[in-house]
Amino acid sequence: MVADLGDAVAVGPLLAELGQAVHTLTAGTDPRLLGLPPGDLTVTIGVGPRLVRMADPSLPGAADLPRFSRERIAPQARGGDLLIQICASDPLLLPVVAAALLEQAGHRIRERWRQSGRRGPDISVGKGISHIHQHPYSYG
């Protein structure tokens, strides 16, 4: 999911709270998991160029990505302040974890867009090589 922060949001405390929430969710100690085991749950939070510029305009990542010649991205899908990627083999975890993180952030963020995907289990790659172990995953 990609989200924008409000103008008056203190970025450091928000990221610290999200980091703590990710820690308890992946450790399985967060009651918002509703009894689901975290399994191989991972959560990645990336910051967009606007937040990097707020920290230091000279840092790598402070510039917006350029438009690419063959790009077909709607204007509202470009940019964003936070990218939150949630991956797990158990697809039941994904909406639960997304809801927990959105609840933690509260009114400080506004979800811009969300995309979900799923990849199947082991895929045979031919004779001599039994399998490449690809774990199913999804993200929100």
Side-chain angles (χ1 to χ4, degrees):
M1 99 179 60
V2 172
D4 293 315
L5 273 63
D7 291 331
V9 171
V11 178
L14 173 62
L15 291 176
E17 284 180 41
L18 289 174
Q20 183 59 42
V22 167
H23 176 74
T24 60
L25 288 162
T26 57
T29 58
D30 194 310
R32 294 175 289 193
L33 284 173
L34 308 173
L36 292 169
D40 60 353
L41 172 67
T42 62
V43 179
T44 303
I45 298 177
V47 296
R50 186 174 79 96
L51 299 185
V52 175
R53 283 191 297 272
M54 287 169 60
D56 182 345
S58 67
L59 288 172
D64 291 331
L65 287 175
R67 292 194 179 273
F68 297 96
S69 63
R70 299 172 74 176
E71 183 176 288
R72 305 261 188 279
I73 300 174
Q76 68 271 19
R78 290 188 60 82
D81 293 327
L82 293 178
L83 168 78
I84 302 173
Q85 178 178 309
I86 304 165
C87 299
S89 295
D90 183 351
L92 293 176
L93 279 171
L94 305 172
V96 171
V97 172
L101 294 173
L102 287 171
E103 176 191 345
Q104 187 70 48
H107 67 280
R108 295 174 291 180
I109 69 170
R110 185 184 79 252
E111 187 176 343
R112 184 185 278 226
W113 59 267
R114 183 184 297 206
Q115 178 179 349
S116 297
R118 180 156 174 81
R119 182 172 64 186
D122 296 346
I123 298 170
S124 178
V125 294
K127 286 188 172 183
I129 303 174
S130 59
H131 288 83
I132 292 178
H133 296 284
Q134 297 175 329
H135 298 284
Y137 74 94
S138 296
Y139 53 93

